[in-house]
Amino acid sequence: MEESMEEEEGGSYEAMMDDQNHNNWEAAVDGFRQPPPPPSSIPVPSREPPGGQLLAVPAVSVDRKGPKEGLQLGPPPPPEANGVIMMLKSCDAAAAVAKAVPAPTPSSTININTSTSKFLMNVITIEDYKSTYWPKLDGAIDQLLTQSPGDYIPISYEQIYSCVYKCVCQQHSEQMYSDLIKKITNHLERVSKELQASPPDLYIERFNIALGQYMGALQSIVPLFIYMNKFYIETKLNRDLKDDLIKLFTEHVAEKHIYSLMPLLLEAQSTPFQVTPSTMANIVKGLYTLRPEWVQMAPTLFSKFIPNILPPAVESELSEYAAQDQKLQRELIQNGFMRLCSTYMMYEVLNRHYTALMWMAQKVTSPGRELGMSWLITAHQHVRVPEGTDSDCVECTFLPATRTHWSCRDCIQSTVGPALRRSVTKLFSEEDVGLLSLICNLKKQKTNKQKKQPVSCC
Amino acid sequence: MSAEEMVQIRLEDRCYPVSKRKLIEQSDYFRALYRSGMREALGQEAGGPEVQQLRGLSAPGLRLVLDFINAGGAREGWLLGPRAEKGGGAAEEEEMDEVSLLSELVEAASFLQVTSLLQLLLSQVRLTNCLELYRLAQVYGLPDLQEACLRFMAVHFHEVLCKPQFHLLVSPAPAPGDVSLKQRLREARMTGTPVLVALGDFLGGPLAPHPYQGEPPSMLRYEEMTERWFPLANNLPPDLVNVRGYGSAILDNYLFIVGGYRITSQEISAAHSYNPSTNEWLQVASMNQKRSNFKLVAVNSKLYAIGGQAVSNVECYNPEQDAWNFVAPLPNPLAEFSACECKGRIYVIGGYTTRDRNMNILQYCPSSDIWTLFETCDVHIRKQQMVSVEETIYIVGGCLHELGPNRRSSQSEDMLTVQSYNTVTRQWLYLKENTSKSGLNLTCALHNDGIYIMSRDVTLSTSLEHRVFLKYNIFSDSWEAFRRFPAFGHNLLVSSLYLPNKTES
């Protein structure tokens, strides 16, 4: 079989596919369909159709195939289902022979054969897979990965899909999946290195191109592998190919570049025309697809391109928001770290109680807004009730550069005891109390206890 | 542009027109193709192909799938293949054709990923196609279909097992540690709720514990929570009514009733099995020997019919062939003996030979097909029932007769006793007795944590009928009595079967 496959390699795609599906397999049938014991039990030549016009492959190759398939019937190196297929085929053949007693004419055997799958007639050994099928896929993937989005794709969907399909049906999914992941990982590592080498002025544009090219390639690669996705990745691994491939880009490219990319993006954003808006839009949207949490690194930037990142702002209040923000930021900087932490903690608690109350009152809204804390609003988009809030990065709204590890959610949850909750609830029930006075009150009450908490959490 | 854009699909030298919309709707292949941006996705004007070329599929299979797509998906009462409606017919050849058409259909549907069609196959699993569909599901990686086939095959296990194709499906030696299909199906049969089932010629009437309507049922199930008996939706097959002295055994959660005699005529050789999964009786191959008052024992997935009235031969039933074959006979014909399986061997204890009391414990090894004298005991027992747990045989009821000097009083004839015999230590234990109950005419079954015993006896002196329904708890070595006897009746048999869970059925 290797021989015939190599022949195909030389030819055009069309020729290859035709040959494989219409000619070789029929020849292979004869070698294949012999009953399990010795392949010699039915003389191979006698079972060839006399006309032979269907057989493009010379008898020599048939001979070669016979023993080869026969080998697989023994303790089989290619595992499980191959064996199953083999046995059933041979049983079909046995039945077919029995049916055509006393002397099965070759042509009648062939006719019965047409009832069985042409695709699966060719047993694809792991060697066949490595020497013929994967290289074909490898070439197509290369082409898809390196061409620009929108380019004409000369690859035939049907041919590549068939190739994937055959490999899956012949139990090569696992190998194929790992080859695919390996291949794309290698590609992405190369992409990442190239990016690293780019000068800063081209960096954003190059990142954009890499991202666009990869996402474009996925548009084609994923559909090509849907058979593997459905029958292997989804069912055996409980994953999804597209997610896996997107994750590869996140891990091997985006994560490695995000911290150099973000400052550049923020800088570019403040400098008109340094980067075209479309590039900016692509990157921001792309990053959001890769990892929605990255929004929190620059919510304002993301909110420009992605709807519903921020709550709808009321235009008339814009200046007021800004003034509030500035005042708060000033205060916070003055009061330093402790203050920030306790504010954050207060907010956590407040937010939970307030949101719960609001939900009960069927009046869902942003708690921060009601309290005049617009700076917090931006950070608390995903208020979830009743689990609490998802707010790792309050500070990044005003201190983007210093944000590194400031994730105090865990320690807040662990340190905010019932007593504190109660006191906050009590305070909170006095609706009009402003945030800062709340904090001050709380600090008075809890000075001793609170001293340690920010330290432990930061 | 017409409202319905048509696509020509070419396979070999024929073209099939299909609505593009329906194609994209039903076939993941075409949906992905048109989304891929590759050569075939382009419109004709943009240099795309005139036809969508397919290769390697079979024309009949593709035609069936395209018909399905053109029809806009599943229709009411859709049946597999054109032949499915006919049923019966010249089975062999049609089955062959159906099977090949089926594989072509599944291949085309898998290749084109017509999910709704593949989904529809789940409800089309039949006895005629389950093996082929199972194989196809393996080949094309259709786990749902594979599951559906497994479920179906587990429900119809013995019917599937005796199909010749079954062995071709499972013959490649599975990798070590890999559970074979047969084993998986066996395990699947042992699921559901273990329920005590009573068979017998029950009498209706005012004293019956449950107001049955019409004919009194011949099969009852016991609900442990409410301690009540309910009729099973099925009854004994007519030719089993009034058969006495039959052999019964449970094999793969099938209850086999074999042989026996009719009151009106002589012994029979017929064999029936009750499948609780389908709630159906099946007639299986008859024994070669008519026999009654013999023992039927299930060992290693086979049944052994041992002896009988003046019969010493032994037959083995293999559900895989649905056939009985003689194996090594008993050394002598035995009467009023009992037998059970224990650790893969058969033990025969008690009763009479043609000349004398049988004091020997005989052991049969199925793999070597040899009867051996296991031990000679000094207590004679007859008409007992036997069940086993691990290496311990429980001997329930029967009539004990101790030989030798230190013999117990002969009261034992009127008592219901439970003894155990350990086949490893060869130790006898006299476990429990229940006075005022006779142990001569009882039926028992291992169920949950004990041996459930049911007995109906008439004391000759008083003509009073005793009805007993109790449990010997083998872990606490204690009796537990139940109030509800199933019904007045004769010819009782109690056994423990897995009934399908209500949610499943």
PDB file of all heavy atoms in Angstrom, chain A residues 273-291:
ATOM      1  N   PHE A 273      -3.851  58.182  15.841  1.00  0.00           N
ATOM      2  CA  PHE A 273      -3.284  57.754  14.545  1.00  0.00           C
ATOM      3  C   PHE A 273      -1.968  57.023  14.658  1.00  0.00           C
ATOM      4  O   PHE A 273      -1.336  56.752  13.669  1.00  0.00           O
ATOM      5  CB  PHE A 273      -3.163  58.938  13.578  1.00  0.00           C
ATOM      6  CG  PHE A 273      -4.469  59.621  13.379  1.00  0.00           C
ATOM      7  CD1 PHE A 273      -4.681  60.920  13.825  1.00  0.00           C
ATOM      8  CD2 PHE A 273      -5.512  58.938  12.775  1.00  0.00           C
ATOM      9  CE1 PHE A 273      -5.893  61.538  13.653  1.00  0.00           C
ATOM     10  CE2 PHE A 273      -6.728  59.566  12.603  1.00  0.00           C
ATOM     11  CZ  PHE A 273      -6.934  60.865  13.049  1.00  0.00           C
ATOM     12  N   GLN A 274      -1.551  56.725  15.834  1.00  0.00           N
ATOM     13  CA  GLN A 274      -0.347  55.892  15.905  1.00  0.00           C
ATOM     14  C   GLN A 274      -0.665  54.494  15.395  1.00  0.00           C
ATOM     15  O   GLN A 274       0.113  53.876  14.689  1.00  0.00           O
ATOM     16  CB  GLN A 274       0.169  55.816  17.341  1.00  0.00           C
ATOM     17  CG  GLN A 274       1.518  55.109  17.412  1.00  0.00           C
ATOM     18  CD  GLN A 274       1.945  54.893  18.847  1.00  0.00           C
ATOM     19  OE1 GLN A 274       1.536  55.619  19.751  1.00  0.00           O
ATOM     20  NE2 GLN A 274       2.784  53.902  19.053  1.00  0.00           N
ATOM     21  N   VAL A 275      -1.834  54.048  15.764  1.00  0.00           N
ATOM     22  CA  VAL A 275      -2.306  52.752  15.269  1.00  0.00           C
ATOM     23  C   VAL A 275      -3.690  52.984  14.672  1.00  0.00           C
ATOM     24  O   VAL A 275      -4.484  53.730  15.244  1.00  0.00           O
ATOM     25  CB  VAL A 275      -2.407  51.749  16.421  1.00  0.00           C
ATOM     26  CG1 VAL A 275      -3.011  50.447  15.942  1.00  0.00           C
ATOM     27  CG2 VAL A 275      -1.036  51.515  17.018  1.00  0.00           C
ATOM     28  N   THR A 276      -3.957  52.340  13.552  1.00  0.00           N
ATOM     29  CA  THR A 276      -5.276  52.552  12.941  1.00  0.00           C
ATOM     30  C   THR A 276      -6.341  51.986  13.870  1.00  0.00           C
ATOM     31  O   THR A 276      -6.114  50.979  14.540  1.00  0.00           O
ATOM     32  CB  THR A 276      -5.391  51.853  11.580  1.00  0.00           C
ATOM     33  OG1 THR A 276      -5.292  50.442  11.812  1.00  0.00           O
ATOM     34  CG2 THR A 276      -4.306  52.288  10.630  1.00  0.00           C
ATOM     35  N   PRO A 277      -7.469  52.641  13.882  1.00  0.00           N
ATOM     36  CA  PRO A 277      -8.543  52.158  14.754  1.00  0.00           C
ATOM     37  C   PRO A 277      -8.934  50.716  14.458  1.00  0.00           C
ATOM     38  O   PRO A 277      -9.286  49.974  15.365  1.00  0.00           O
ATOM     39  CB  PRO A 277      -9.692  53.115  14.446  1.00  0.00           C
ATOM     40  CG  PRO A 277      -9.070  54.321  13.851  1.00  0.00           C
ATOM     41  CD  PRO A 277      -7.818  53.869  13.184  1.00  0.00           C
ATOM     42  N   SER A 278      -8.834  50.339  13.219  1.00  0.00           N
ATOM     43  CA  SER A 278      -9.254  48.971  12.900  1.00  0.00           C
ATOM     44  C   SER A 278      -8.285  47.959  13.511  1.00  0.00           C
ATOM     45  O   SER A 278      -8.689  46.908  14.015  1.00  0.00           O
ATOM     46  CB  SER A 278      -9.355  48.777  11.392  1.00  0.00           C
ATOM     47  OG  SER A 278      -8.073  48.705  10.827  1.00  0.00           O
ATOM     48  N   THR A 279      -7.011  48.279  13.483  1.00  0.00           N
ATOM     49  CA  THR A 279      -6.032  47.400  14.123  1.00  0.00           C
ATOM     50  C   THR A 279      -6.336  47.287  15.608  1.00  0.00           C
ATOM     51  O   THR A 279      -6.383  46.187  16.176  1.00  0.00           O
ATOM     52  CB  THR A 279      -4.610  47.964  13.938  1.00  0.00           C
ATOM     53  OG1 THR A 279      -4.376  48.094  12.551  1.00  0.00           O
ATOM     54  CG2 THR A 279      -3.581  47.044  14.561  1.00  0.00           C
ATOM     55  N   MET A 280      -6.564  48.456  16.191  1.00  0.00           N
ATOM     56  CA  MET A 280      -6.865  48.486  17.604  1.00  0.00           C
ATOM     57  C   MET A 280      -8.100  47.630  17.895  1.00  0.00           C
ATOM     58  O   MET A 280      -8.118  46.815  18.817  1.00  0.00           O
ATOM     59  CB  MET A 280      -7.105  49.944  18.013  1.00  0.00           C
ATOM     60  CG  MET A 280      -7.115  50.148  19.486  1.00  0.00           C
ATOM     61  SD  MET A 280      -5.546  49.711  20.209  1.00  0.00           S
ATOM     62  CE  MET A 280      -5.030  51.278  20.818  1.00  0.00           C
ATOM     63  N   ALA A 281      -9.095  47.829  17.068  1.00  0.00           N
ATOM     64  CA  ALA A 281     -10.351  47.081  17.266  1.00  0.00           C
ATOM     65  C   ALA A 281     -10.104  45.579  17.156  1.00  0.00           C
ATOM     66  O   ALA A 281     -10.560  44.789  17.986  1.00  0.00           O
ATOM     67  CB  ALA A 281     -11.381  47.531  16.238  1.00  0.00           C
ATOM     68  N   ASN A 282      -9.348  45.199  16.136  1.00  0.00           N
ATOM     69  CA  ASN A 282      -9.070  43.774  15.949  1.00  0.00           C
ATOM     70  C   ASN A 282      -8.363  43.186  17.152  1.00  0.00           C
ATOM     71  O   ASN A 282      -8.728  42.123  17.651  1.00  0.00           O
ATOM     72  CB  ASN A 282      -8.185  43.555  14.728  1.00  0.00           C
ATOM     73  CG  ASN A 282      -8.964  43.665  13.451  1.00  0.00           C
ATOM     74  OD1 ASN A 282     -10.192  43.525  13.472  1.00  0.00           O
ATOM     75  ND2 ASN A 282      -8.292  43.936  12.358  1.00  0.00           N
ATOM     76  N   ILE A 283      -7.348  43.876  17.586  1.00  0.00           N
ATOM     77  CA  ILE A 283      -6.554  43.331  18.692  1.00  0.00           C
ATOM     78  C   ILE A 283      -7.402  43.232  19.948  1.00  0.00           C
ATOM     79  O   ILE A 283      -7.413  42.211  20.625  1.00  0.00           O
ATOM     80  CB  ILE A 283      -5.303  44.195  18.945  1.00  0.00           C
ATOM     81  CG1 ILE A 283      -4.350  44.032  17.769  1.00  0.00           C
ATOM     82  CG2 ILE A 283      -4.615  43.790  20.237  1.00  0.00           C
ATOM     83  CD1 ILE A 283      -3.021  44.687  17.955  1.00  0.00           C
ATOM     84  N   VAL A 284      -8.115  44.305  20.228  1.00  0.00           N
ATOM     85  CA  VAL A 284      -8.885  44.313  21.461  1.00  0.00           C
ATOM     86  C   VAL A 284      -9.958  43.218  21.418  1.00  0.00           C
ATOM     87  O   VAL A 284     -10.119  42.452  22.368  1.00  0.00           O
ATOM     88  CB  VAL A 284      -9.502  45.703  21.699  1.00  0.00           C
ATOM     89  CG1 VAL A 284     -10.536  45.640  22.801  1.00  0.00           C
ATOM     90  CG2 VAL A 284      -8.403  46.690  22.044  1.00  0.00           C
ATOM     91  N   LYS A 285     -10.624  43.145  20.299  1.00  0.00           N
ATOM     92  CA  LYS A 285     -11.639  42.096  20.184  1.00  0.00           C
ATOM     93  C   LYS A 285     -11.005  40.713  20.260  1.00  0.00           C
ATOM     94  O   LYS A 285     -11.537  39.801  20.885  1.00  0.00           O
ATOM     95  CB  LYS A 285     -12.397  42.234  18.861  1.00  0.00           C
ATOM     96  CG  LYS A 285     -13.424  43.350  18.893  1.00  0.00           C
ATOM     97  CD  LYS A 285     -14.125  43.434  17.550  1.00  0.00           C
ATOM     98  CE  LYS A 285     -14.980  44.667  17.478  1.00  0.00           C
ATOM     99  NZ  LYS A 285     -15.320  44.998  16.083  1.00  0.00           N
ATOM    100  N   GLY A 286      -9.859  40.586  19.600  1.00  0.00           N
ATOM    101  CA  GLY A 286      -9.164  39.302  19.618  1.00  0.00           C
ATOM    102  C   GLY A 286      -8.761  38.908  21.028  1.00  0.00           C
ATOM    103  O   GLY A 286      -9.004  37.776  21.467  1.00  0.00           O
ATOM    104  N   LEU A 287      -8.193  39.855  21.739  1.00  0.00           N
ATOM    105  CA  LEU A 287      -7.765  39.559  23.109  1.00  0.00           C
ATOM    106  C   LEU A 287      -8.957  39.187  23.968  1.00  0.00           C
ATOM    107  O   LEU A 287      -8.880  38.302  24.823  1.00  0.00           O
ATOM    108  CB  LEU A 287      -7.048  40.766  23.717  1.00  0.00           C
ATOM    109  CG  LEU A 287      -5.664  41.088  23.139  1.00  0.00           C
ATOM    110  CD1 LEU A 287      -5.124  42.364  23.753  1.00  0.00           C
ATOM    111  CD2 LEU A 287      -4.696  39.938  23.369  1.00  0.00           C
ATOM    112  N   TYR A 288     -10.034  39.870  23.702  1.00  0.00           N
ATOM    113  CA  TYR A 288     -11.245  39.576  24.479  1.00  0.00           C
ATOM    114  C   TYR A 288     -11.727  38.146  24.198  1.00  0.00           C
ATOM    115  O   TYR A 288     -12.140  37.424  25.098  1.00  0.00           O
ATOM    116  CB  TYR A 288     -12.333  40.589  24.133  1.00  0.00           C
ATOM    117  CG  TYR A 288     -13.588  40.398  24.940  1.00  0.00           C
ATOM    118  CD1 TYR A 288     -13.611  40.703  26.300  1.00  0.00           C
ATOM    119  CD2 TYR A 288     -14.749  39.907  24.352  1.00  0.00           C
ATOM    120  CE1 TYR A 288     -14.755  40.532  27.054  1.00  0.00           C
ATOM    121  CE2 TYR A 288     -15.900  39.736  25.097  1.00  0.00           C
ATOM    122  CZ  TYR A 288     -15.898  40.044  26.453  1.00  0.00           C
ATOM    123  OH  TYR A 288     -17.029  39.875  27.194  1.00  0.00           O
ATOM    124  N   THR A 289     -11.630  37.735  22.934  1.00  0.00           N
ATOM    125  CA  THR A 289     -12.013  36.350  22.591  1.00  0.00           C
ATOM    126  C   THR A 289     -11.092  35.359  23.289  1.00  0.00           C
ATOM    127  O   THR A 289     -11.540  34.335  23.795  1.00  0.00           O
ATOM    128  CB  THR A 289     -11.890  36.131  21.064  1.00  0.00           C
ATOM    129  OG1 THR A 289     -12.502  37.225  20.406  1.00  0.00           O
ATOM    130  CG2 THR A 289     -12.528  34.828  20.636  1.00  0.00           C
ATOM    131  N   LEU A 290      -9.809  35.678  23.276  1.00  0.00           N
ATOM    132  CA  LEU A 290      -8.844  34.755  23.851  1.00  0.00           C
ATOM    133  C   LEU A 290      -9.068  34.606  25.347  1.00  0.00           C
ATOM    134  O   LEU A 290      -9.032  33.504  25.879  1.00  0.00           O
ATOM    135  CB  LEU A 290      -7.424  35.234  23.608  1.00  0.00           C
ATOM    136  CG  LEU A 290      -6.954  35.306  22.152  1.00  0.00           C
ATOM    137  CD1 LEU A 290      -5.543  35.817  22.101  1.00  0.00           C
ATOM    138  CD2 LEU A 290      -7.058  33.945  21.480  1.00  0.00           C
ATOM    139  N   ARG A 291      -9.258  35.718  26.009  1.00  0.00           N
ATOM    140  CA  ARG A 291      -9.387  35.635  27.456  1.00  0.00           C
ATOM    141  C   ARG A 291     -10.168  36.847  27.951  1.00  0.00           C
ATOM    142  O   ARG A 291      -9.601  37.922  28.136  1.00  0.00           O
ATOM    143  CB  ARG A 291      -7.995  35.587  28.100  1.00  0.00           C
ATOM    144  CG  ARG A 291      -8.075  35.377  29.594  1.00  0.00           C
ATOM    145  CD  ARG A 291      -6.784  34.867  30.128  1.00  0.00           C
ATOM    146  NE  ARG A 291      -6.556  33.464  29.735  1.00  0.00           N
ATOM    147  CZ  ARG A 291      -5.467  32.785  30.065  1.00  0.00           C
ATOM    148  NH1 ARG A 291      -4.515  33.365  30.748  1.00  0.00           N
ATOM    149  NH2 ARG A 291      -5.351  31.532  29.704  1.00  0.00           N
TER     150      ARG A 291
END
